């Protein structure tokens, strides 16, 4: 997706990058938590890894 937003959302089972606002709203309605958003896909993937490390260190 070019010139869009990438939303990083996590729940107890997964971490997801959503591209569409409808998907973001659906994930949040199902109990997901917004970790953050990015303007580029590369940054979104970096944030996904950051979120993973944050959640694993939090559960130690």
């Amino acid at each position: 997706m070019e010139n869009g937003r990438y939303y990083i959302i996590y729940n107890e089972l997964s971490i997801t990058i959503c591209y569409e606002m409808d998907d973001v709203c659906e994930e949040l309605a199902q109990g997901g938590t917004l970790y953050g958003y990015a303007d580029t896909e590369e940054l979104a993937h970096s944030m996904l890894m950051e979120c993973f490390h944050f959640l694993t260190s939090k559960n130690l």
Side-chain angles (χ1 to χ4, degrees):
M1 163 173 259
E2 272 190 52
N3 298 324
R5 282 256 161 84
Y6 301 84
Y7 299 88
I8 297 81
I9 299 176
Y10 67 91
N11 61 32
E12 59 210 25
L13 301 175
S14 66
I15 304 170
T16 306
I17 297 175
C18 294
Y19 309 98
E20 301 289 332
M21 186 53 72
D22 288 344
D23 295 336
V24 173
C25 293
E26 185 176 327
E27 290 288 333
L28 294 175
Q30 293 177 4
T33 301
L34 178 66
Y35 180 76
Y37 64 90
D39 292 328
T40 66
E41 188 172 358
E42 183 179 344
L43 182 55
H45 285 283
S46 294
M47 289 181 70
L48 184 140
M49 293 305 299
E50 179 183 290
C51 181
F52 174 79
H53 291 294
F54 169 74
L55 294 173
T56 55
S57 68
K58 188 175 156 183
N59 289 328
L60 292 179

